[in-house]
């Protein structure tokens, strides 16, 4: 557990784009401040904070200090009331290294291959989980299960969450290709195919193994029956693996992400694109043949993450949108239009509520290729949702779109998902307030928050050091695996560690940097993926 006392003066510990808005937060009355050169103490800018406002989520008054007038590149600190902030840079392209680190994290999540020191540094380990998996309920049926990404701080692999993570990365590449010009590097780096597509393919090839060859449906997950101990390295987790039953939610996500992959990989590998599209169409046929399917529930003897989801209309909606966008087939368009009339969230990006991926796929297809009335309606709903988020941001002391009630398990996913929506609203609506609000969410993630933490391991002056992540606990390396976005404050205090240490804390302060805190300090692929998307927008 970290014992470092947080500052009440908080900044983005990486830095700020030279041409953009810049501000810090001070948990108190504020007043006159100076921006000083970190090396010399020379004053580069002076100003006065705005009057403090009570912040309900943080439980304190918060003052905002704006220093947007300073654009000279350099390394600085803020000085106010005798306190100095973490150092930070002002630069034309301050997030390039962070972006690479957030993407490289997916390499560290890889299952089924050796992570060699050449690419993994001190976090290298042997190949893991190479055994065939057993189809649950069919003990004599075994299937290849190797590959893909470990989902989180454990070693399970899950179809729906994996599809969300791939979708975020593919969308980021599609919309911000300039952010992916750098080599990570990865073992597959070849100077031709962007590394993000190499990394996504590693997961996609595993996802193809999750399609039941007998039916076309997608198995919900592949896990052992119970989680291993927290210090068990992946290669030492030797319990039997099980393919858990096919679910409609998993099959919808599978169909959607395979259709998406078919479109994006077409320029790089036509045969792989054909394979993905054929798999997507087969999964779609399963969905048509199974219009009403109960939500997935863990069998009684399975204790790994359930990812239960009784509502599958959103996954079907996403699948129809991606298949229509990729193929232009009017049958998929008609299916999408029918599903769009159903009641479910159309602009949520979580692993359970996938509706926004369908809406965004349709909007990205453009008004010339879609139903003009439906296109206009979805665009209006997106901008309305973004305006609601802006209203929350304007009342929040740290400038983000979380209400006190939104500090839930995985609140940093909510932060990044909402920043994604704001950036999509900026794309379709053009209002700069959307873009600036999304950047405020990046600032929050990287230290400008109530606890002065960078919620990305290995990045910033005061990053989280003790994530609930089995390789980081078991590898005997002092530093955790870098580039991992952790879950963040959780007012529900859903683990014993939080219950013991955080009683009575304000929602935005319900976090402890302790490896035992799985409900606040765990990591997942689908918390990293929206962060990659959002940061991609701000990388030159």
């Amino acid at each position: 557990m970290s014992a470092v006392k947080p500052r009440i003066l908080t900044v983005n510990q990486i830095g700020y784009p030279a041409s953009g808005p810049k501000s810090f937060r001070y948990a108190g009355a504020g007043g006159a401040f100076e921006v000083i050169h970190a090396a010399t103490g020379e004053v580069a800018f002076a100003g006065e904070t705005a009057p403090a406002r009570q912040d309900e989520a943080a439980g304190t008054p918060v003052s905002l200090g704006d220093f947007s007038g300073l654009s000279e590149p350099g390394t600085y600190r803020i000085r106010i009331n005798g306190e100095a902030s973490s150092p930070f840079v002002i630069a034309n392209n301050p997030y390039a290294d962070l972006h690479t680190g957030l993407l490289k994290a997916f390499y560290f999540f890889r299952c089924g291959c050796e992570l060699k020191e050449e690419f993994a540094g001190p976090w290298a380990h042997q190949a893991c989980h190479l055994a065939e998996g057993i189809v649950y309920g069919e003990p004599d049926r075994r299937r290849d299960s190797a590959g893909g990404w470990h989902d989180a701080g454990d070693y399970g692999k899950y179809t729906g969450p994996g599809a969300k993570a791939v979708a975020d990365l593919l969308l980021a590449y599609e919309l911000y290709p300039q952010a992916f010009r750098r080599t990570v590097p990865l073992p597959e780096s070849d100077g031709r195919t962007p590394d993000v597509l190499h990394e996504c393919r590693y997961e996609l090839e595993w996802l193809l193994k999750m399609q039941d060859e007998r039916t076309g449906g997608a198995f919900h997950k592949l896990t052992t029956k119970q989680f291993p101990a927290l210090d068990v390295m992946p290669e030492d987790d030797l319990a039997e693996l099980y393919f858990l039953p096919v679910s409609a939610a998993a099959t919808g996500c599978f169909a959607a992400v395979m259709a998406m992959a078919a479109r994006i990989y077409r320029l790089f590998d036509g045969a792989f694109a054909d394979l993905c599209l054929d798999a997507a169409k087969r999964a779609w046929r399963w969905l048509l043949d199974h219009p009403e399917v109960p939500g997935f529930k863990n069998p009684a003897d399975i204790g790994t993450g359930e990812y239960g989801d009784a509502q599958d209309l959103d996954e079907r909606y996403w699948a129809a949108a991606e298949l229509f966008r990729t193929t232009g087939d009017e049958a998929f368009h008609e299916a999408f239009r029918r599903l769009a009339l159903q009641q479910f969230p159309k602009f949520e990006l979580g692993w359970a509520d996938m509706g926004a991926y369908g809406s965004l796929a349709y909007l990205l297809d453009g008004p010339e290729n879609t139903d003009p009335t439906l296109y206009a309606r979805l665009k209006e709903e997106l901008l309305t949702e973004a305006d609601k988020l802006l209203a929350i941001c304007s009342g929040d002391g740290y400038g983000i779109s979380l209400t006190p009630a939104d500090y839930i398990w995985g609140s940093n996913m909510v932060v990044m998902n909402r920043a994604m929506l704001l950036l999509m609203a900026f794309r379709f609506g053009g209002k700069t307030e959307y873009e600036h609000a999304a950047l405020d969410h990046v600032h929050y993630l990287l230290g400008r928050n109530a606890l002065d933490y960078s919620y990305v391991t290995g990045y910033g002056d005061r990053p989280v050091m003790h994530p609930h992540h089995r390789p980081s606990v078991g590898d005997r390396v002092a530093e955790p695996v870098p580039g991992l976005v952790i879950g963040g404050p959780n007012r529900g205090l859903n683990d014993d560690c939080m219950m013991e240490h955080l009683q009575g804390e304000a929602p935005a302060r319900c976090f402890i940097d302790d490896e035992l805190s799985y409900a606040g300090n765990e990591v997942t692929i689908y918390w990293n993926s929206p962060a990659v998307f959002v940061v991609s927008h701000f990388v030159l």
Side-chain angles (χ1 to χ4, degrees):
M1 182 175 66
S2 173
V4 179
K5 182 180 179 181
R7 302 177 183 91
I8 60 173
L9 167 57
T10 58
V11 296
N12 180 328
Q13 295 169 19
I14 299 296
Y16 299 81
S19 61
K22 308 170 192 71
S23 65
F24 66 88
R25 298 298 189 273
Y26 184 79
F33 70 88
E34 297 171 326
V35 185
I36 61 173
H37 289 277
T40 65
E42 178 186 357
V43 176
F45 184 90
E48 189 91 15
T49 67
R53 294 191 303 169
Q54 184 66 23
D55 183 65
E56 183 182 357
T60 62
V62 176
S63 302
L64 180 154
D66 188 284
F67 56 102
S68 301
L70 178 61
S71 58
E72 180 185 352
T75 302
Y76 300 93
R77 293 179 187 266
I78 306 294
R79 189 164 60 195
I80 183 173
N81 295 340
E83 184 173 357
S85 73
S86 292
F88 60 89
V89 303
I90 292 176
N92 291 326
N93 195 22
Y95 306 132
D97 289 343
L98 169 71
H99 184 265
T100 300
L102 290 168
L103 180 58
K104 179 65 175 283
F106 290 89
Y107 171 77
F108 289 112
F109 277 116
R110 285 192 186 188
C111 179
C113 70
E114 179 184 1
L115 301 193
K116 296 182 179 180
E117 187 174 354
E118 176 185 0
F119 299 101
W123 301 284
H125 64 73
Q126 297 301 308
C128 61
H129 303 103
L130 298 173
E132 291 184 318
I134 302 165
V135 176
Y136 188 87
E138 302 179 57
D140 296 329
R141 186 181 173 200
R142 294 174 180 263
R143 306 171 74 256
D144 180 9
S145 69
W149 299 322
H150 298 141
D151 174 70
D154 60 271
Y155 302 130
K157 295 182 286 188
Y158 304 82
T159 300
K164 174 194 163 39
V166 172
D168 290 338
L169 297 183
L170 294 183
L171 271 173
Y173 169 71
E174 187 175 26
L175 300 184
Y176 309 115
Q178 82 290 340
F180 297 95
R181 292 181 186 137
R182 294 174 117 202
T183 300
V184 171
L186 300 172
E188 300 85 358
S189 297
D190 58 9
R192 187 182 76 89
T193 301
D195 278 347
V196 63
L197 299 188
H198 286 306
E199 193 56 65
C200 286
R201 183 164 177 166
Y202 194 83
E203 175 75 354
L204 286 163
E205 289 179 343
W206 172 77
L207 282 169
L208 287 166
K209 298 178 183 181
M210 294 300 284
Q211 186 168 39
D212 184 357
E213 63 277 11
R214 297 179 180 177
T215 68
F219 293 105
H220 192 79
K221 64 176 183 172
L222 176 79
T223 73
T224 53
K225 286 194 170 183
Q226 305 295 331
F227 292 124
L230 185 55
D231 62 350
V232 171
M233 288 295 288
E235 61 266 39
D236 298 324
D237 180 28
L238 302 176
E240 289 186 315
L241 293 161
Y242 288 85
F243 289 91
L244 275 297
V246 167
S247 73
T251 304
C253 288
F254 177 92
V257 80
M258 287 299 161
M260 188 181 198
R263 183 174 68 251
I264 291 173
Y265 284 85
R266 179 68 59 192
L267 291 176
F268 299 94
D269 188 333
F272 181 66
D274 288 342
L275 184 65
C276 291
L277 186 55
D278 288 345
K281 289 179 176 178
R282 191 155 184 250
W284 179 255
R285 286 195 295 271
W286 186 96
L287 292 169
L288 293 180
D289 292 340
H290 298 82
E292 295 185 12
V293 184
F296 178 86
K297 293 288 185 184
N298 267 341
D301 59 340
I302 301 293
T304 52
E306 183 171 81
Y307 288 106
D309 186 1
Q311 169 67 279
D312 58 42
L313 289 173
D314 49 325
E315 287 85 6
R316 294 171 187 263
Y317 173 81
W318 179 29
E322 295 291 0
L323 279 160
F324 173 59
R325 188 175 179 209
T326 295
T327 68
D329 188 328
E330 191 60 27
F332 297 121
H333 194 190
E334 181 55 34
F336 180 81
R337 283 191 290 235
R338 287 196 306 269
L339 286 160
L341 297 174
Q342 302 297 313
Q343 295 300 311
F344 58 88
K346 304 294 195 305
F347 286 98
E348 288 289 339
L349 291 160
W351 59 262
D353 294 312
M354 307 292 278
Y357 293 99
S359 299
L360 295 176
Y362 197 71
L363 289 171
L364 287 167
D365 212 9
E368 66 280 4
N369 298 317
T370 54
D371 180 317
T373 302
L374 180 53
Y375 180 94
R377 191 190 95 199
L378 290 174
K379 178 179 174 180
E380 181 182 2
E381 289 177 2
L382 169 61
L383 299 182
T384 297
E385 184 64 26
D387 286 338
K388 291 177 182 176
L389 296 180
L390 282 184
I392 298 171
C393 293
S394 68
D396 181 75
Y398 291 87
I400 62 167
S401 60
L402 298 193
T403 69
D406 291 326
Y407 286 87
I408 59 173
W409 194 332
S411 62
N412 281 339
M413 181 188 75
V414 182
V415 171
M416 290 293 102
N417 283 349
R418 290 182 177 177
M420 278 185 69
L421 279 181
L422 287 163
L423 288 174
M424 294 307 295
F426 174 67
R427 181 179 188 86
F428 288 104
K431 193 158 68 173
T432 56
E433 288 89 341
Y434 298 143
E435 183 182 37
H436 292 167
L439 184 55
D440 279 334
H441 289 61
V442 175
H443 296 330
Y444 169 91
L445 190 73
L446 295 169
R448 206 186 69 186
N449 54 61
L451 290 173
D452 185 38
Y453 271 118
S454 169
Y455 289 129
V456 182
T457 59
Y459 288 85
D461 184 50
R462 190 171 180 265
V464 165
M465 289 294 294
H466 307 286
H468 182 88
H469 177 237
R470 281 165 176 77
S472 292
V473 174
D475 62 9
R476 300 183 182 180
V477 179
E479 298 279 334
V481 170
L484 306 178
V485 175
I486 60 86
N490 173 9
R491 66 195 294 269
L493 307 183
N494 297 113
D495 61 52
D496 290 342
C497 183
M498 299 181 94
M499 288 291 290
E500 179 182 353
H501 295 284
L502 299 172
Q503 293 289 340
E505 289 286 357
R509 301 181 65 83
C510 287
F511 173 80
I512 185 169
D513 184 13
D514 192 303
E515 66 192 32
L516 298 179
S517 181
Y518 56 83
N521 210 25
E522 194 169 4
V523 301
T524 78
I525 54 175
Y526 54 87
W527 297 342
N528 258 74
S529 59
V532 171
F533 179 97
V534 174
V535 173
S536 296
H537 178 90
F538 299 102
V539 172
L540 303 179

